[in-house]
Amino acid sequence: MYLTTALALLGIAFGVAGTSTGSHSACVSFSPSSLGDATFSGATHYAANTRVNISNAYSSIDVSNLPGFCRVELVITTNATAGSTALTEVWLPDEWNGRVLTVGNGGLAGGVTVTELGHVAIPQGFAGISTNTGHDGNTDDGDWAGPHNDNAIVDWGWRALHLSVLAGREVVEQYYRAPAKKSYYLGCSTGRQGLKEVQDFPEDFDGVVVGSPANWQTHLQAWSVHMNLNTEPSTSPHFMTEDMWSNVIAPEVMRQCDELDGLKDGIINDPRICSFRPETLTCRPGQNASTCLTKDQIGALHRIYADYYEADQTYVFGGYYPGGETEYYHGLVGKQHFAIATNYFGFMVLNDTNFTIHDYNATVLEVADEIDPGQANAINPNLTAFAGPPHNGKLIQYVGWADQLISPGNSVHYYETVHEFTLANTTMDIDDYYRLFLVPGMNHCHGGFAANAFGSVEQASNDNPPLSFDPQHNILAAIVRWVEQGVAPDSIIAANYKDNNFTNGVGFTRPLCRYPSTIRYRGGDPHNAGSFYCA
């Protein structure tokens, strides 16, 4: 297994020589006190290489190759008056690297992210923290939110995570009898949580890594419905089948744009330079309609690839970018309505459980913006409390250019709002605290035909571990080195495994470039990251 090799690298990547230790006896006798809003539920020790089989409504893990650790379970009182609680777990490795890592959730989910505690935190020696955000449910489930369960929505929006971080760090200190030297966050999609913490609770984390964050909830969900409406219903003349996306549209996108970056490899390094013309697929007289596009379908594609503005020219969200067509049908332009968006508007905004995408209009977006359910939006561009002295926090963000669920334009948009604020209101340099990496060809958080393995969540747990735990290949080690040694990452070497499974061997490696730089091919072996540079 990849963990065996990876663990051997920990001394280099995370300074394991200075670790503190736990044990079976320390775990089973552990009884923390004075945890504020938290109550201790119990502790279970898992010896090294014994079976860890844990599941909940959102996340699960079943492996037998982890280092030894102590699983501590807590109940957090999030609102004493309302009697609301959240479940939180703190996983404490027997060989601790002195740091805490909080891992995020996804979508509307309610469940401790045990998958990533086991695949990311524990193997690398971090004490790991995760919460169920105050409810139980899967990624798409929204009925827990109401109607009118505003308290639970606030827990999901920010409160459960923040209180879990405070309680979790206290548990860590009591267990190891020493405080954590640094606190980190790692999450994708609901990496929104990391940005919310940076903006509202800047002392919680020293370093934050967020992938494709759903940080503009009100506009993201409006855009999701807008994208659904561009192709729905499936009986409409503008609908395009999965076969058309994969076998008609995708090949034509690659024919027009693949070689613009100097290499024909099935990846568009910077899709912003691709002016895809779907008109080239127009049906000719007598042509099989499954092999070409009608005028209605061409019009739909133009809307799908465009930024979404309302009639009054209010910017709502970015669009899809050329290069992810084989997955877009399974995102927001297929036959199924996007459940997260309909549940968001039905249970959180309008308290109308009969809401469908066909009830959406600009007024619904205005209501959502006014309410901001759970204060879940994390769009404040002022990060000076986090990034400025004395805290000096660091933020790394990444997103796949072929993201099928959250437009990569959202990450660029937020970065640029922070950049603008920083220039207009401070003497700080954004490069000193915030770096954005765009991943050509990668889908939402992972997957796609891309160099998509670089150490973040949902990667190792989907058979795509980083090539190494060192900072050049592992984004978590990169944020640690930036925070603790002052070495900022200009690029990260990511791997593509054949058929997206490490057991098949490495397909190719590529550098991920710090925005606004992009990947350029210098010549040589296209399977080797050394044949590319950032410019």
Side-chain angles (χ1 to χ4, degrees), residues 27-97:
C27 180
V28 298
S29 64
F30 184 53
S31 181
S33 60
S34 303
L35 294 179
D37 297 311
T39 302
F40 174 68
S41 296
T44 306
H45 188 264
Y46 293 85
N49 300 316
T50 57
R51 187 181 184 191
V52 179
N53 183 14
I54 303 169
S55 63
N56 57 52
Y58 164 61
S59 180
S60 64
I61 187 169
D62 187 359
V63 297
S64 301
N65 56 1
L66 294 182
F69 70 98
C70 181
R71 177 195 184 197
V72 173
E73 297 175 79
L74 306 173
V75 177
I76 310 282
T77 299
T78 57
N79 186 325
T81 302
S84 61
T85 60
L87 302 181
T88 297
E89 295 191 20
V90 186
W91 289 20
L92 304 161
D94 289 353
E95 298 295 326
W96 181 44
N97 67 16

Side-chain angles (χ1 to χ4, degrees), residues 346-361:
F347 291 106
M348 296 187 185
V349 176
L350 301 175
N351 293 310
D352 177 4
T353 57
N354 295 315
F355 177 86
T356 73
I357 63 172
H358 302 290
D359 298 316
Y360 174 78
N361 55 46

Side-chain angles (χ1 to χ4, degrees), residues 214 216-226 338 340-341 344-345:
W216 203 357
Q217 278 288 317
T218 54
H219 283 221
L220 167 62
Q221 305 310 338
W223 172 74
S224 299
V225 173
H226 165 77
F338 188 55
I340 291 177
Y344 177 82
F345 287 114

Side-chain angles (χ1 to χ4, degrees), residues 124-442:
Q124 298 180 67
F126 289 86
I129 300 172
S130 182
T131 175
N132 77 339
T133 71
H135 68 277
D136 295 321
N138 62 34
T139 304
D140 296 342
D141 181 18
D143 58 5
W144 56 267
H148 303 291
N149 195 357
D150 295 342
N151 198 60
I153 298 171
V154 172
D155 283 347
W156 165 80
W158 63 268
R159 187 166 56 195
L161 184 83
H162 172 59
L163 295 178
S164 295
V165 171
L166 299 181
R169 292 197 311 201
E170 180 61 31
V171 166
V172 168
E173 182 168 354
Q174 291 190 35
Y175 185 74
Y176 294 112
R177 299 183 181 180
K181 59 183 179 181
K182 294 294 179 183
S183 177
Y184 296 92
Y185 173 91
L186 180 65
C188 189
S189 195
T190 308
R192 169 189 66 78
Q193 296 167 317
L195 290 181
K196 187 69 174 177
E197 286 279 306
V198 164
Q199 294 163 21
D200 290 5
F201 306 102
E203 297 293 326
D204 280 3
F205 299 116
D206 300 290
V208 168
V209 179
V210 296
S212 192
N215 61 302
W216 203 357
Q217 278 288 317
T218 54
H219 283 221
L220 167 62
Q221 305 310 338
W223 172 74
S224 299
V225 173
H226 165 77
M227 294 291 276
N228 281 172
L229 290 171
N230 282 325
T231 57
E232 289 286 335
S234 59
T235 55
S236 70
H238 47 265
F239 181 76
M240 288 157 282
T241 65
E242 180 179 3
D243 182 74
M244 294 179 73
W245 276 100
S246 296
N247 298 316
V248 179
I249 301 169
E252 180 63 12
V253 168
M254 287 298 159
R255 187 190 71 80
Q256 293 186 24
C257 298
D258 186 9
E259 293 185 80
L260 294 177
D261 54 23
L263 180 65
K264 185 177 182 179
D265 59 353
I267 300 173
I268 301 173
N269 284 340
D270 185 352
R272 293 172 300 178
I273 67 174
C274 171
S275 298
F276 172 51
R277 296 173 53 242
E279 287 80 4
T280 59
L281 294 171
T282 302
C283 291
R284 305 297 297 269
Q287 185 174 354
N288 184 335
S290 67
T291 65
C292 56
L293 299 178
T294 65
K295 181 179 179 180
D296 286 334
Q297 292 167 331
I298 290 169
L301 284 176
H302 280 297
R303 293 189 295 274
I304 287 167
Y305 289 111
D307 289 348
Y308 169 29
Y309 286 84
E310 267 302 336
D312 63 356
Q313 295 305 300
T314 295
Y315 174 78
V316 181
F317 219 68
Y320 275 170
Y321 286 79
E325 287 69 26
T326 57
E327 191 62 26
Y328 288 162
Y329 181 88
H330 303 290
L332 303 175
V333 293
K335 198 171 185 178
Q336 300 297 320
H337 297 174
F338 188 55
I340 291 177
T342 54
N343 284 330
Y344 177 82
F345 287 114
F347 291 106
M348 296 187 185
V349 176
L350 301 175
N351 293 310
D352 177 4
T353 57
N354 295 315
F355 177 86
T356 73
I357 63 172
H358 302 290
D359 298 316
Y360 174 78
N361 55 46
T363 300
V364 173
L365 173 57
E366 291 175 4
V367 173
D369 273 337
E370 182 176 351
I371 296 172
D372 183 16
Q375 296 81 58
N377 276 351
I379 56 176
N380 185 351
N382 182 0
L383 305 186
T384 53
F386 171 77
H391 189 63
N392 298 314
K394 309 300 182 187
L395 171 62
I396 295 176
Q397 186 167 331
Y398 67 90
V399 65
W401 272 123
D403 195 312
Q404 77 278 22
L405 297 180
I406 302 177
S407 171
N410 176 62
S411 287
V412 174
H413 177 79
Y414 179 67
Y415 176 90
E416 292 294 7
T417 65
V418 176
H419 192 193
E420 179 185 24
F421 180 91
T422 302
L423 290 173
N425 298 279
T426 78
T427 58
M428 299 169 63
D429 185 338
I430 193 170
D431 286 341
D432 291 338
Y433 69 89
Y434 184 8
R435 298 199 168 190
L436 170 64
F437 294 84
L438 290 118
V439 187
M442 189 175 79

